[in-house]
Amino acid sequence: MLELKDVHTYYGNIHALKGISLTVNDGEIVTLIGSNGAGKSTTLRTIQGLNKPRSGSVVLDGMELHKLPAHEIAALGVAQSPEGRMIFPRMTVLENLEMGAYVRKDRTGFNEDLDHVFTLFPRLKERINQKGGTLSGGEQQMLAMGRALMAKPKILLLDEPSMGLAPLLVELIFEIIKEINKEGTTVLLVEQNALMALSIANRGYVLQTGEIILSDDAQSLKNNEMVQKSYLGVE
């Protein structure tokens, strides 16, 4: 479904992605793991069109995304729940979710999809008229994911969904990611909690200073000695 081939992305003179190549197949959960500054978020921003690669290609179902502006990429079915949630704090929960559906051409399924988001995240239904900025961190994460789902994406990009959340909430969020995937949405997951990410993913890539140093199925990465020492806290 999605293929990055030899992607080089820069911030000014800083070479952030140094020839990234990866694939995400239809129906998979693929995770990118790595330390801070490894290039994980930049990879998602490059797919989304927020950072343009200086060279290389990003292709979704045969469409060359790297040649398109971000709003056209969103309309093609790429939705992101960004790092830091980035909800609209002065808008209500419902208004935030409506913004997620902004790029959709089909308005007919809006209420059905809204009900689906409320089924996944019942807390949001309870807070439907509350301002986004007054929600707890966990609720804001649910809102960011719900907003992305309202775009009815082909592929959902999740950037650090567990960041700053209590352990019980982390487990809940990951259960919901599995459920979203089971319902047919392909997921590309960036996550510092490598153990949780690898426990739900089909495959994974390890990024280090803008380069992929390892890729394998999730179970093999969990058993990899370097991954265990560097990212899973195993001595």
Side-chain angles (χ1 to χ4, degrees):
M1 177 187 272
L2 178 72
E3 182 177 21
L4 278 68
K5 195 176 283 185
D6 197 25
V7 169
H8 292 260
T9 300
Y10 288 74
Y11 291 103
N13 292 323
I14 297 167
H15 197 174
L17 299 184
K18 304 167 185 172
I20 294 280
S21 295
L22 62 84
T23 58
V24 182
N25 299 316
D26 190 12
E28 281 191 309
I29 298 178
V30 173
T31 188
L32 305 180
I33 60 175
S35 54
N36 278 335
K40 305 185 303 296
S41 294
T42 304
T43 302
L44 295 193
R45 289 177 60 84
T46 301
I47 294 165
Q48 192 78 65
L50 300 169
N51 294 113
K52 287 294 177 191
R54 202 171 285 184
S55 63
S57 62
V58 181
V59 179
L60 177 77
D61 284 340
M63 291 286 295
E64 296 185 320
L65 301 188
H66 56 281
K67 296 180 178 178
L68 301 175
H71 68 279
E72 288 183 22
I73 293 171
L76 286 170
V78 181
Q80 182 169 177
S81 173
E83 184 180 3
R85 291 134 203 175
M86 306 292 281
I87 58 155
F88 301 103
R90 295 184 183 180
M91 295 169 75
T92 66
V93 165
L94 179 60
E95 288 166 341
N96 269 274
L97 294 173
E98 286 173 339
M99 287 300 290
Y102 184 78
V103 296
R104 284 174 58 165
K105 293 179 176 69
D106 68 310
R107 304 300 294 179
T108 49
F110 175 84
N111 287 333
E112 193 180 314
D113 291 330
L114 189 63
D115 287 342
H116 180 235
V117 167
F118 288 149
T119 302
L120 288 169
F121 305 107
R123 195 88 58 88
L124 295 183
K125 190 168 188 179
E126 294 166 15
R127 308 274 193 273
I128 189 167
N129 294 314
Q130 200 169 314
K131 293 275 198 300
T134 66
L135 301 176
S136 70
E139 290 163 350
Q140 288 189 17
Q141 184 58 57
M142 293 172 191
L143 183 55
M145 289 171 65
R147 182 182 60 186
L149 286 172
M150 285 303 295
K152 216 162 185 180
K154 284 183 182 177
I155 183 164
L156 178 62
L157 310 180
L158 295 175
D159 197 350
E160 302 287 6
S162 78
M163 185 183 279
L165 300 186
L168 272 176
L169 262 179
V170 171
E171 285 187 27
L172 174 64
I173 290 292
F174 274 84
E175 282 302 315
I176 291 167
I177 294 168
K178 282 200 295 189
E179 182 62 31
I180 290 165
N181 177 250
K182 207 193 310 181
E183 290 169 355
T185 302
T186 303
V187 176
L188 180 56
L189 169 66
V190 158
E191 181 53 61
Q192 283 242 292
N193 188 334
L195 188 61
M196 287 294 284
L198 291 172
S199 71
I200 68 165
N202 302 101
R203 294 187 297 114
Y205 293 87
V206 180
L207 268 70
Q208 202 173 78
T209 57
E211 297 179 90
I212 290 171
I213 59 165
L214 199 57
S215 68
D216 212 330
D217 67 84
Q219 191 57 49
S220 298
L221 287 176
K222 270 169 88 172
N223 295 333
N224 181 283
E225 192 178 340
M226 186 275 285
V227 172
Q228 288 183 342
K229 283 182 177 172
S230 301
Y231 304 108
L232 303 183
V234 177
E235 292 300 326

